[in-house]
Amino acid sequence: MLSEKFIEVSKNEGVVSITSWGSGDQPNVRCTWNSYIRITEDERILIPIAGFTSTQNDVSKNDKVILTLGSREVEGFNNYQGTGFLVEGKARFTDCGPEFEQMKKEYSFINKLLEITIESAKQLL
C-alpha cells in the first residue's frame, strides 16, 4: 500500500501531525517528527510517545486518526519541491511488548508507543 515516495518522505525530516477525536466535536492535534516514526514490515506506523495523554483518551473512545507528514527534500508532483501525505488509520497505545521495548532502546524518553494501522495514504503535493 505505501509507495516508495511515502517511505522516502518518512526518512527525511519534517513535521508529522496526528489528529484524533474523542466523543466531542473538537479535534485534538499533536505533532512529532518524521525521524521518530518507524514503519513495520506489515506497514504499520510506530511512534515513540512521552505524553499525548489527550490523544490517548480520544483513541480509547474513537480509534480513528489522521496523520499528515511531509518533507521539502522529496520531490512531489510536477517537479514540485516537496511533498506530503494524508494518512487515515486506526490507532492504539501500548506500553509493553517487543515493539515497545525495541523503541524504548532507541528512544529512552518514551513511556508508551503509538501504533497506527494504515487504512489509506494519499500523496497531496
Side-chain angles (χ1 to χ4, degrees):
M1 175 194 297
L2 296 178
S3 67
E4 288 181 33
K5 188 72 69 172
F6 182 94
I7 302 299
E8 188 178 356
V9 165
S10 74
K11 292 180 179 179
N12 285 273
E13 197 62 275
V15 174
V16 178
S17 71
I18 303 157
T19 304
S20 62
W21 302 262
S23 54
D25 293 336
Q26 285 286 70
N28 173 37
V29 181
R30 296 293 179 260
C31 294
T32 190
W33 299 104
N34 288 3
S35 57
Y36 286 166
I37 70 172
R38 296 294 175 266
I39 300 168
T40 65
E41 286 187 25
D42 61 350
E43 297 188 334
R44 290 174 294 124
I45 296 174
L46 303 178
I47 304 173
I49 301 296
F52 278 55
T53 305
S54 55
T55 303
Q56 188 172 10
N57 288 337
D58 285 350
V59 166
S60 72
K61 298 172 187 131
N62 174 11
D63 64 356
K64 292 185 183 289
V65 293
I66 293 176
L67 277 74
T68 57
L69 70 152
S71 174
R72 291 193 63 185
E73 306 305 316
V74 179
E75 186 176 295
F77 296 130
N78 302 316
N79 300 317
Y80 187 79
Q81 184 56 47
T83 192
F85 285 83
L86 173 70
V87 177
E88 296 182 54
K90 294 190 178 209
R92 76 178 192 100
F93 284 85
T94 186
D95 61 2
C96 61
E99 291 175 329
F100 174 80
E101 295 303 326
Q102 180 59 40
M103 292 291 270
K104 180 82 171 167
K105 287 179 188 174
E106 195 171 345
Y107 303 104
S108 61
F109 63 84
I110 75 171
N111 58 17
K112 54 194 148 199
L113 183 65
L114 174 57
E115 172 191 313
I116 298 164
T117 301
I118 299 169
E119 295 177 331
S120 69
K122 179 181 177 185
Q123 188 174 348
L124 301 175
L125 301 169

